[in-house]
Amino acid sequence: MKKIMILLFAMSTIMSFAQQLDGYNCIFLNSHTNNQWGLDDRIKESFVNKGFMVVTSRDEIPKAPNERLATLELTYNFEIKYGGTPFNFKLTNMLGESVFEAEGVGNTMSAKADANRACKRALGKMEKLSYKFDPSKTPKLPTPTTEKSSWTENQIRDYLSSENIDVVEGIYKNMGGSYYKLAILKDNGKFLAIVMDTDRPNWFVGGVKVVLESLKDNFYNTSYYDDNYSRLETISEIDANGVLKIGNNSYMKIFPITK
């Protein structure tokens, strides 16, 4: 009975992993060794044969949010050891969530052979999974959506050149921490801070970083998302110099220039 329970648990785990992988069709191979002993080639071949597209540079990761969200970052590590070399790889999605990981061990008379055998055994656990890309299983952004998220910078600047905008509307850059360039625009009675540019690999152009609701004077009831998409609440204020303070972060308005 115990053996049956273990087998059923293993089967359910494999099915769960397979369902998780179905939401992705691109692998960003974040090389650990610059292809030492051909490990990158082995990994790439394994995922290409499975049906994935594989890229080896962050610049090659798709830019469109729906395509970027269907991308997994693959990281790996191994340690040459007498008696058996362990190799581990991990797949993480663009929201920072762990999706799949596996380990293999190689034990021969050669460090190169050990690493390659361990890598092959770890990849074999992924290769045994059934896989078919299904975009309906791709994760969705936890932030609100808005039609203005698809505006170009020229469209945003044209809108902000109007004399009828509110004091908080504008283009902002953060003053410390992770880099964000945000466009704060009025949308259905609220103000949404839309990402125009960022150095965060798990954030996307068009994503909503902050939602503000007017209170009295230049204060705003604010909900915002940190670098890992946790939702936080605070009261924000914009001062006469165009500096918007949100939690521990400050953003300077760069357009239109505050007079």
Side-chain angles (χ1 to χ4, degrees):
M1 183 68 179
K2 184 177 180 181
K3 290 183 178 179
I4 293 175
M5 293 298 293
I6 292 173
L7 178 61
L8 289 173
F9 175 77
M11 290 177 62
S12 66
T13 301
I14 290 173
M15 290 176 64
S16 174
F17 278 138
Q19 290 173 348
Q20 287 176 312
L21 287 179
D22 284 349
Y24 307 91
N25 65 353
C26 179
I27 302 293
F28 163 47
L29 174 53
N30 193 347
S31 178
H32 172 66
T33 63
N34 293 319
N35 206 30
Q36 182 182 17
W37 297 328
L39 292 177
D40 289 359
D41 291 339
R42 179 181 288 277
I43 294 168
K44 182 175 181 179
E45 180 182 18
S46 180
F47 278 92
V48 168
N49 289 341
K50 195 70 175 175
F52 289 89
M53 176 177 74
V54 178
V55 299
T56 56
S57 166
R58 289 196 183 276
D59 293 337
E60 296 176 296
I61 298 175
K63 299 295 189 297
N66 60 325
E67 295 176 5
R68 195 175 181 88
L69 285 164
T71 301
L72 292 169
E73 179 173 355
L74 186 152
T75 55
Y76 67 88
N77 60 77
F78 65 94
E79 183 180 359
I80 302 298
K81 289 184 177 181
Y82 177 77
T85 292
F87 177 101
N88 173 275
F89 79 89
K90 183 175 183 179
L91 296 172
T92 306
N93 67 21
M94 293 293 107
L95 301 179
E97 300 165 336
S98 178
V99 174
F100 181 82
E101 60 182 310
E103 183 177 89
V105 177
N107 185 10
T108 70
M109 299 297 290
S110 159
K112 177 180 178 179
D114 275 1
N116 272 276
R117 180 172 293 183
C119 176
K120 181 179 180 180
R121 287 174 174 172
L123 291 169
K125 297 175 183 179
M126 178 276 299
E127 293 168 353
K128 290 178 181 178
L129 303 179
S130 61
Y131 165 77
K132 184 178 180 181
F133 177 56
D134 182 352
S136 70
K137 295 181 180 179
T138 302
K140 305 293 187 277
L141 287 176
T143 65
T145 58
T146 170
E147 292 182 3
K148 293 178 180 176
S149 65
S150 63
W151 281 12
T152 65
E153 182 161 350
N154 286 337
Q155 288 174 308
I156 291 171
R157 286 180 176 270
D158 286 345
Y159 167 78
L160 293 174
S161 297
S162 166
E163 296 180 357
N164 299 318
I165 64 171
D166 288 84
V167 63
V168 75
E169 290 186 280
I171 297 174
Y172 293 76
K173 285 186 178 180
N174 61 304
M175 302 167 66
S178 300
Y179 165 64
Y180 288 96
K181 181 180 178 182
L182 306 174
I184 297 183
L185 308 171
K186 194 168 187 177
D187 187 89
N188 293 322
K190 298 180 180 179
F191 300 95
L192 304 182
I194 300 167
V195 176
M196 298 176 69
D197 191 21
T198 180
D199 63 0
R200 291 289 299 176
N202 60 330
W203 272 85
F204 311 89
V205 173
V208 176
K209 177 76 170 165
V210 187
V211 179
L212 305 106
E213 297 178 86
S214 293
L215 298 174
K216 67 175 184 176
D217 300 326
N218 290 332
F219 289 91
Y220 299 86
N221 187 36
T222 305
S223 60
Y224 65 102
Y225 300 84
D226 67 12
D227 288 348
N228 295 313
Y229 289 95
S230 295
R231 186 174 181 273
L232 305 169
E233 299 279 345
T234 190
I235 301 296
S236 301
E237 178 187 13
I238 185 168
D239 65 21
N241 295 314
V243 176
L244 177 64
K245 296 181 179 180
I246 302 175
N248 295 323
N249 300 304
S250 295
Y251 298 83
M252 170 67 77
K253 185 189 289 189
I254 62 171
F255 184 86
I257 300 299
T258 301
K259 298 179 182 179

